[in-house]
Amino acid sequence: MSHLYNLAIIGAGPAGIATAIESYMQGIRDIVLLEKDQNHNSTIRKYYKDNKRVDKDWKGQKVELDGRLFFVDGTKETTLDFFDQLLDRHSVELQTHVEVESIIKKEHYFEVNMAGKMIRAKNVVVTIGRMGKVNKPKYPIAPGIKNKIVYTLESCSEGEKILIVGGGDSAVEYAVDLSEKNDVAICYRRETFRRANPTNQTNIANAIIHKEVRPILGINIDGLEDVDGRVKVIYREIEPEIFDRVVFAIGGTTPSGFLSASGIEEIDGKPVHDENYETNIKGLFVAGDITQERGGSIALGLNHGYAIACYIQAIDK
Protein backbone atom coordinates (compact mmCIF):
# COMPACT_ATOMS: atom_id res chain seq x y z
CA MET A 1 0.00 0.00 0.00
CA SER A 2 2.93 2.36 0.62
CA HIS A 3 4.30 1.90 -2.93
CA LEU A 4 3.79 4.89 -5.21
CA TYR A 5 3.78 4.29 -8.97
CA ASN A 6 4.90 7.08 -11.22
CA LEU A 7 2.21 6.19 -13.72
CA ALA A 8 -0.93 4.06 -13.65
CA ILE A 9 -2.72 3.41 -16.94
CA ILE A 10 -6.27 2.11 -17.01
CA GLY A 11 -6.90 0.01 -20.09
CA ALA A 12 -4.35 -2.06 -22.00
CA GLY A 13 -5.37 -1.31 -25.56
CA PRO A 14 -3.23 0.48 -28.18
CA ALA A 15 -3.39 3.87 -26.45
CA GLY A 16 -2.69 2.39 -23.01
CA ILE A 17 0.26 0.29 -24.15
CA ALA A 18 1.63 3.20 -26.19
CA THR A 19 1.47 5.48 -23.15
CA ALA A 20 3.31 2.89 -21.07
CA ILE A 21 6.04 2.11 -23.61
CA GLU A 22 6.60 5.71 -24.72
CA SER A 23 6.84 6.74 -21.04
CA TYR A 24 9.38 3.97 -20.41
CA MET A 25 11.42 5.16 -23.39
CA GLN A 26 11.35 8.68 -21.93
CA GLY A 27 13.01 7.31 -18.80
CA ILE A 28 9.93 7.04 -16.60
CA ARG A 29 9.89 3.95 -14.40
CA ASP A 30 7.37 2.34 -12.03
CA ILE A 31 4.60 2.07 -14.61
CA VAL A 32 1.58 -0.20 -14.21
CA LEU A 33 -1.05 -1.15 -16.79
CA LEU A 34 -4.42 -2.16 -15.36
CA GLU A 35 -6.68 -4.32 -17.53
CA LYS A 36 -10.06 -5.75 -16.54
CA ASP A 37 -9.91 -8.62 -19.04
CA GLN A 38 -7.51 -11.56 -19.16
CA ASN A 39 -5.09 -9.99 -21.64
CA HIS A 40 -4.24 -6.75 -23.40
CA ASN A 41 -6.24 -5.50 -26.40
CA SER A 42 -9.42 -7.30 -25.39
CA THR A 43 -11.49 -5.38 -27.95
CA ILE A 44 -9.35 -6.68 -30.81
CA ARG A 45 -9.42 -10.19 -29.36
CA LYS A 46 -13.21 -10.24 -28.83
CA TYR A 47 -14.66 -8.21 -31.66
CA TYR A 48 -12.25 -8.81 -34.54
CA LYS A 49 -12.62 -12.02 -36.49
CA ASP A 50 -9.50 -14.08 -37.22
CA ASN A 51 -7.30 -12.58 -39.95
CA LYS A 52 -9.32 -9.35 -39.94
CA ARG A 53 -7.41 -6.49 -41.53
CA VAL A 54 -6.22 -3.90 -39.01
CA ASP A 55 -5.27 -0.52 -40.47
CA LYS A 56 -3.10 2.10 -38.83
CA ASP A 57 -5.52 4.76 -40.05
CA TRP A 58 -9.21 4.47 -39.17
CA LYS A 59 -11.53 4.77 -42.19
CA GLY A 60 -8.69 6.21 -44.25
CA GLN A 61 -7.94 9.01 -41.77
CA LYS A 62 -4.24 9.61 -42.43
CA VAL A 63 -2.22 10.15 -39.26
CA GLU A 64 1.56 10.51 -39.11
CA LEU A 65 3.09 8.75 -36.13
CA ASP A 66 4.85 11.11 -33.72
CA GLY A 67 6.55 8.69 -31.36
CA ARG A 68 8.98 5.80 -31.46
CA LEU A 69 6.46 3.00 -32.07
CA PHE A 70 6.39 1.97 -35.72
CA PHE A 71 2.97 0.44 -36.36
CA VAL A 72 1.95 -0.69 -39.85
CA ASP A 73 -1.19 -2.15 -41.39
CA GLY A 74 -1.64 -5.82 -40.70
CA THR A 75 -4.10 -8.38 -39.36
CA LYS A 76 -5.62 -9.13 -35.99
CA GLU A 77 -2.85 -11.64 -35.33
CA THR A 78 0.09 -9.43 -36.37
CA THR A 79 -1.32 -6.53 -34.36
CA LEU A 80 -1.54 -8.62 -31.20
CA ASP A 81 1.99 -9.90 -31.84
CA PHE A 82 3.22 -6.29 -32.19
CA PHE A 83 1.85 -5.32 -28.78
CA ASP A 84 3.03 -8.60 -27.23
CA GLN A 85 6.58 -7.79 -28.32
CA LEU A 86 6.39 -4.24 -26.97
CA LEU A 87 5.37 -5.47 -23.53
CA ASP A 88 7.99 -8.25 -23.57
CA ARG A 89 10.82 -5.84 -24.38
CA HIS A 90 10.09 -3.20 -21.75
CA SER A 91 9.72 -3.36 -17.97
CA VAL A 92 6.08 -2.39 -17.71
CA GLU A 93 3.93 -4.16 -15.15
CA LEU A 94 0.66 -5.53 -16.55
CA GLN A 95 -2.06 -6.48 -14.10
CA THR A 96 -5.04 -8.29 -15.61
CA HIS A 97 -8.48 -9.23 -14.22
CA VAL A 98 -8.59 -5.94 -12.31
CA GLU A 99 -11.45 -3.54 -12.89
CA VAL A 100 -10.94 0.00 -11.67
CA GLU A 101 -13.94 1.33 -9.78
CA SER A 102 -12.81 4.86 -8.96
CA ILE A 103 -9.93 7.31 -9.10
CA ILE A 104 -9.61 9.64 -6.11
CA LYS A 105 -7.37 12.68 -6.20
CA LYS A 106 -5.27 13.22 -3.07
CA GLU A 107 -2.86 16.08 -2.41
CA HIS A 108 0.19 14.62 -4.18
CA TYR A 109 -1.08 11.39 -5.72
CA PHE A 110 -4.14 9.43 -6.85
CA GLU A 111 -5.81 6.45 -5.25
CA VAL A 112 -6.86 3.96 -7.92
CA ASN A 113 -9.46 1.71 -6.36
CA MET A 114 -10.29 -1.79 -7.54
CA ALA A 115 -12.34 -4.57 -5.96
CA GLY A 116 -10.44 -5.58 -2.84
CA LYS A 117 -7.32 -3.54 -3.55
CA MET A 118 -5.98 -0.05 -4.11
CA ILE A 119 -2.82 1.35 -5.64
CA ARG A 120 -1.33 4.84 -5.52
CA ALA A 121 0.11 6.72 -8.48
CA LYS A 122 1.49 10.19 -9.18
CA ASN A 123 -0.18 10.29 -12.60
CA VAL A 124 -3.11 8.35 -14.06
CA VAL A 125 -4.13 7.87 -17.69
CA VAL A 126 -7.59 6.57 -18.60
CA THR A 127 -7.58 4.74 -21.93
CA ILE A 128 -10.78 2.73 -21.61
CA GLY A 129 -12.06 2.13 -25.12
CA ARG A 130 -15.66 2.61 -26.16
CA MET A 131 -16.05 -1.14 -26.65
CA GLY A 132 -15.29 -1.54 -22.96
CA LYS A 133 -18.94 -0.54 -22.68
CA VAL A 134 -20.77 -1.98 -25.68
CA ASN A 135 -24.02 -0.45 -26.81
CA LYS A 136 -26.99 -2.63 -25.93
CA PRO A 137 -30.52 -2.35 -27.26
CA LYS A 138 -33.01 -0.37 -25.22
CA TYR A 139 -36.10 -2.27 -26.36
CA PRO A 140 -37.54 -5.22 -24.37
CA ILE A 141 -35.79 -8.60 -24.54
CA ALA A 142 -37.53 -11.67 -23.09
CA PRO A 143 -35.50 -13.18 -20.21
CA GLY A 144 -35.60 -16.71 -21.64
CA ILE A 145 -33.53 -15.83 -24.71
CA LYS A 146 -30.71 -13.88 -23.07
CA ASN A 147 -28.23 -16.59 -24.07
CA LYS A 148 -29.29 -16.18 -27.70
CA ILE A 149 -28.42 -12.46 -27.70
CA VAL A 150 -24.68 -11.94 -28.25
CA TYR A 151 -22.17 -9.23 -29.17
CA THR A 152 -19.39 -11.31 -30.72
CA LEU A 153 -19.25 -14.42 -32.93
CA GLU A 154 -17.76 -16.66 -30.24
CA SER A 155 -20.96 -18.58 -29.45
CA CYS A 156 -22.41 -18.77 -32.97
CA SER A 157 -22.78 -22.28 -34.36
CA GLU A 158 -22.81 -23.62 -37.90
CA GLY A 159 -26.26 -23.99 -39.45
CA GLU A 160 -28.00 -21.37 -37.30
CA LYS A 161 -30.40 -18.79 -38.67
CA ILE A 162 -28.79 -15.57 -37.48
CA LEU A 163 -29.75 -11.90 -37.51
CA ILE A 164 -26.97 -9.31 -37.38
CA VAL A 165 -28.08 -5.91 -36.05
CA GLY A 166 -26.00 -2.90 -37.07
CA GLY A 167 -24.57 -1.14 -40.10
CA GLY A 168 -20.92 -0.47 -39.36
CA ASP A 169 -17.78 -2.40 -40.20
CA SER A 170 -18.18 -5.04 -37.50
CA ALA A 171 -21.81 -5.75 -38.43
CA VAL A 172 -20.96 -6.11 -42.11
CA GLU A 173 -17.94 -8.31 -41.42
CA TYR A 174 -19.95 -10.53 -39.06
CA ALA A 175 -22.68 -10.97 -41.68
CA VAL A 176 -20.30 -11.83 -44.52
CA ASP A 177 -18.23 -14.15 -42.34
CA LEU A 178 -21.23 -16.07 -40.93
CA SER A 179 -22.93 -16.38 -44.31
CA GLU A 180 -20.50 -19.12 -45.36
CA LYS A 181 -22.15 -21.63 -43.02
CA ASN A 182 -25.37 -19.99 -41.84
CA ASP A 183 -28.63 -18.42 -42.98
CA VAL A 184 -27.84 -14.76 -42.30
CA ALA A 185 -29.84 -11.54 -42.41
CA ILE A 186 -28.59 -8.08 -41.47
CA CYS A 187 -30.93 -5.44 -40.04
CA TYR A 188 -30.00 -1.76 -40.10
CA ARG A 189 -32.23 1.21 -39.45
CA ARG A 190 -30.76 3.12 -42.37
CA GLU A 191 -31.07 2.32 -46.07
CA THR A 192 -27.34 1.96 -46.83
CA PHE A 193 -24.13 0.81 -45.14
CA ARG A 194 -22.40 4.17 -45.54
CA ARG A 195 -20.70 3.89 -42.12
CA ALA A 196 -18.67 0.88 -43.30
CA ASN A 197 -15.34 1.29 -45.05
CA PRO A 198 -15.24 0.91 -48.87
CA THR A 199 -13.95 -2.68 -48.77
CA ASN A 200 -16.75 -3.79 -46.47
CA GLN A 201 -19.34 -1.91 -48.52
CA THR A 202 -18.20 -3.87 -51.56
CA ASN A 203 -18.21 -7.18 -49.67
CA ILE A 204 -21.72 -6.77 -48.29
CA ALA A 205 -23.04 -5.61 -51.68
CA ASN A 206 -21.62 -8.74 -53.31
CA ALA A 207 -23.03 -10.96 -50.55
CA ILE A 208 -26.48 -9.43 -51.04
CA ILE A 209 -26.33 -9.71 -54.84
CA HIS A 210 -25.42 -13.40 -54.57
CA LYS A 211 -28.15 -13.92 -51.95
CA GLU A 212 -25.63 -14.97 -49.31
CA VAL A 213 -26.87 -12.28 -46.91
CA ARG A 214 -30.45 -11.01 -46.77
CA PRO A 215 -30.73 -7.24 -46.14
CA ILE A 216 -33.40 -5.78 -43.87
CA LEU A 217 -32.71 -2.08 -44.36
CA GLY A 218 -34.57 1.01 -43.21
CA ILE A 219 -36.24 -1.11 -40.53
CA ASN A 220 -36.45 -0.60 -36.75
CA ILE A 221 -36.72 -3.30 -34.09
CA ASP A 222 -39.21 -2.84 -31.22
CA GLY A 223 -38.47 -5.96 -29.16
CA LEU A 224 -37.30 -9.56 -28.94
CA GLU A 225 -39.65 -12.30 -27.74
CA ASP A 226 -39.13 -15.93 -26.70
CA VAL A 227 -40.67 -18.59 -28.93
CA ASP A 228 -39.64 -21.99 -27.57
CA GLY A 229 -36.09 -20.79 -26.96
CA ARG A 230 -35.77 -19.06 -30.32
CA VAL A 231 -35.79 -15.30 -30.87
CA LYS A 232 -38.85 -13.66 -32.36
CA VAL A 233 -37.82 -10.25 -33.69
CA ILE A 234 -40.60 -7.66 -33.56
CA TYR A 235 -40.11 -5.09 -36.29
CA ARG A 236 -41.86 -1.74 -36.37
CA GLU A 237 -42.44 -1.62 -40.14
CA ILE A 238 -42.70 -5.28 -41.23
CA GLU A 239 -43.94 -8.63 -39.93
CA PRO A 240 -42.00 -10.44 -37.16
CA GLU A 241 -39.45 -13.13 -37.93
CA ILE A 242 -37.89 -15.93 -35.85
CA PHE A 243 -34.13 -16.52 -35.59
CA ASP A 244 -31.90 -18.94 -33.70
CA ARG A 245 -29.58 -16.13 -32.61
CA VAL A 246 -29.25 -12.34 -32.76
CA VAL A 247 -25.83 -10.68 -32.87
CA PHE A 248 -25.65 -6.99 -31.96
CA ALA A 249 -22.83 -4.99 -33.51
CA ILE A 250 -23.94 -1.45 -32.67
CA GLY A 251 -20.73 -0.03 -31.28
CA GLY A 252 -19.84 1.26 -27.85
CA THR A 253 -20.17 4.38 -25.74
CA THR A 254 -17.96 6.59 -23.64
CA PRO A 255 -17.94 5.29 -20.03
CA SER A 256 -19.53 8.50 -18.77
CA GLY A 257 -20.46 7.12 -15.36
CA PHE A 258 -16.87 6.17 -14.60
CA LEU A 259 -15.48 9.47 -15.89
CA SER A 260 -18.01 11.46 -13.87
CA ALA A 261 -17.29 9.47 -10.70
CA SER A 262 -13.61 10.29 -11.17
CA GLY A 263 -14.35 14.00 -11.50
CA ILE A 264 -13.55 14.24 -15.20
CA GLU A 265 -15.68 16.83 -16.96
CA GLU A 266 -17.39 16.01 -20.26
CA ILE A 267 -18.84 18.06 -23.10
CA ASP A 268 -21.13 16.40 -25.67
CA GLY A 269 -20.16 12.94 -24.44
CA LYS A 270 -16.39 13.49 -24.66
CA PRO A 271 -14.00 14.05 -21.75
CA VAL A 272 -12.57 17.55 -21.58
CA HIS A 273 -8.79 17.73 -22.02
CA ASP A 274 -6.06 20.11 -23.14
CA GLU A 275 -3.43 19.66 -25.87
CA ASN A 276 -1.50 17.30 -23.58
CA TYR A 277 -4.65 15.19 -22.97
CA GLU A 278 -4.69 16.32 -19.33
CA THR A 279 -8.23 16.64 -17.97
CA ASN A 280 -9.59 19.28 -15.61
CA ILE A 281 -7.81 17.34 -12.85
CA LYS A 282 -4.04 17.90 -12.85
CA GLY A 283 -2.16 14.64 -13.35
CA LEU A 284 -5.22 12.79 -14.71
CA PHE A 285 -5.19 12.18 -18.46
CA VAL A 286 -7.38 10.57 -21.12
CA ALA A 287 -6.27 8.91 -24.36
CA GLY A 288 -7.55 6.75 -27.19
CA ASP A 289 -10.94 6.55 -28.80
CA ILE A 290 -12.87 7.95 -25.80
CA THR A 291 -11.45 11.33 -26.82
CA GLN A 292 -13.04 11.03 -30.28
CA GLU A 293 -16.67 11.36 -31.34
CA ARG A 294 -16.93 7.96 -33.04
CA GLY A 295 -13.77 6.13 -32.20
CA GLY A 296 -10.37 6.71 -33.70
CA SER A 297 -7.43 5.12 -35.42
CA ILE A 298 -4.72 3.11 -33.72
CA ALA A 299 -2.29 5.78 -34.94
CA LEU A 300 -4.16 8.45 -33.00
CA GLY A 301 -4.02 6.33 -29.86
CA LEU A 302 -0.27 5.85 -30.26
CA ASN A 303 0.20 9.60 -30.71
CA HIS A 304 -1.84 10.33 -27.60
CA GLY A 305 0.44 8.03 -25.62
CA TYR A 306 3.53 9.76 -26.97
CA ALA A 307 2.19 13.25 -26.17
CA ILE A 308 1.30 12.27 -22.61
CA ALA A 309 4.67 10.60 -22.04
CA CYS A 310 6.54 13.69 -23.25
CA TYR A 311 4.49 15.97 -21.03
CA ILE A 312 4.87 13.87 -17.88
CA GLN A 313 8.61 13.51 -18.45
CA ALA A 314 8.95 17.28 -18.93
CA ILE A 315 7.05 18.28 -15.77
CA ASP A 316 8.89 15.68 -13.68
CA LYS A 317 12.33 17.10 -14.52
Side-chain angles (χ1 to χ4, degrees):
M1 190 69 71
S2 62
H3 184 76
L4 180 65
Y5 288 96
N6 275 322
L7 179 60
I9 302 163
I10 303 168
I17 295 176
T19 305
I21 302 304
E22 293 283 12
S23 297
Y24 185 89
M25 290 179 173
Q26 293 279 359
I28 299 169
R29 297 296 182 265
D30 258 352
I31 302 168
V32 62
L33 268 167
L34 304 171
E35 171 57 49
K36 71 176 183 178
D37 283 295
Q38 63 183 359
N39 210 334
H40 65 82
N41 283 295
S42 60
T43 294
I44 293 175
R45 294 178 193 277
K46 289 180 181 179
Y47 298 101
Y48 286 32
K49 67 179 184 179
D50 291 346
N51 298 311
K52 172 181 165 60
R53 179 186 172 103
V54 178
D55 294 330
K56 175 177 74 73
D57 301 308
W58 186 70
K59 290 192 175 181
Q61 180 184 14
K62 298 298 182 184
V63 178
E64 295 299 323
L65 292 171
D66 297 329
R68 306 185 196 183
L69 306 185
F70 184 67
F71 181 82
V72 296
D73 296 346
T75 64
K76 170 184 177 178
E77 290 75 16
T78 62
T79 299
L80 293 175
D81 286 344
F82 172 77
F83 288 109
D84 275 335
Q85 292 170 17
L86 286 178
L87 291 171
D88 287 343
R89 292 172 183 171
H90 301 88
S91 297
V92 173
E93 180 182 344
L94 173 62
Q95 295 187 19
T96 58
H97 298 99
V98 289
E99 184 165 6
V100 175
E101 297 173 344
S102 65
I103 304 167
I104 300 174
K105 173 72 171 177
K106 298 295 184 179
E107 187 174 358
H108 299 297
Y109 62 90
F110 292 90
E111 286 183 353
V112 181
N113 295 291
M114 297 156 278
K117 65 183 291 187
M118 181 268 286
I119 65 168
R120 302 188 308 157
K122 290 174 60 179
N123 301 283
V124 176
V125 185
V126 178
T127 70
I128 301 171
R130 290 175 180 270
M131 293 309 291
K133 184 181 179 183
V134 295
N135 285 328
K136 297 184 178 181
K138 296 180 180 178
Y139 40 77
I141 299 177
I145 54 172
K146 293 287 187 181
N147 64 330
K148 301 293 186 179
I149 310 302
V150 296
Y151 301 87
T152 71
L153 303 189
E154 292 178 332
S155 57
C156 295
S157 301
E158 182 177 340
E160 289 184 318
K161 181 181 179 182
I162 299 174
L163 177 68
I164 308 295
V165 180
D169 287 314
S170 292
V172 167
E173 289 170 4
Y174 288 173
V176 173
D177 189 44
L178 287 171
S179 68
E180 295 178 8
K181 299 180 179 179
N182 296 276
D183 176 2
V184 176
I186 183 168
C187 179
Y188 186 40
R189 59 190 174 87
R190 302 193 185 279
E191 296 286 349
T192 65
F193 298 104
R194 64 177 182 270
R195 285 179 52 213
N197 66 44
T199 299
N200 282 329
Q201 289 186 35
T202 299
N203 290 343
I204 191 66
N206 287 335
I208 290 171
I209 289 171
H210 292 96
K211 301 187 184 304
E212 296 164 353
V213 174
R214 180 163 51 90
I216 305 174
L217 300 178
I219 300 297
N220 294 278
I221 297 174
D222 281 342
L224 305 178
E225 297 180 356
D226 183 354
V227 178
D228 298 325
R230 300 182 76 204
V231 184
K232 182 178 182 180
V233 180
I234 308 300
Y235 299 110
R236 187 176 305 167
E237 296 86 359
I238 60 177
E239 292 299 308
E241 187 174 358
I242 295 175
F243 294 87
D244 296 311
R245 189 176 304 276
V246 175
V247 181
F248 285 99
I250 52 179
T253 57
T254 301
S256 295
F258 174 76
L259 297 178
S260 176
S262 301
I264 298 174
E265 295 177 357
E266 290 182 76
I267 295 179
D268 297 329
K270 294 190 298 181
V272 175
H273 61 81
D274 63 15
E275 67 275 10
N276 301 305
Y277 302 96
E278 190 171 35
T279 68
N280 54 292
I281 301 172
K282 187 173 179 57
L284 182 55
F285 302 80
V286 289
D289 65 4
I290 61 169
T291 68
Q292 308 298 309
E293 280 189 22
R294 302 188 69 174
S297 69
I298 288 179
L300 278 176
L302 301 186
N303 283 351
H304 294 173
Y306 175 69
I308 292 169
C310 291
Y311 179 70
I312 292 176
Q313 193 271 343
I315 62 176
D316 281 352
K317 279 186 176 179

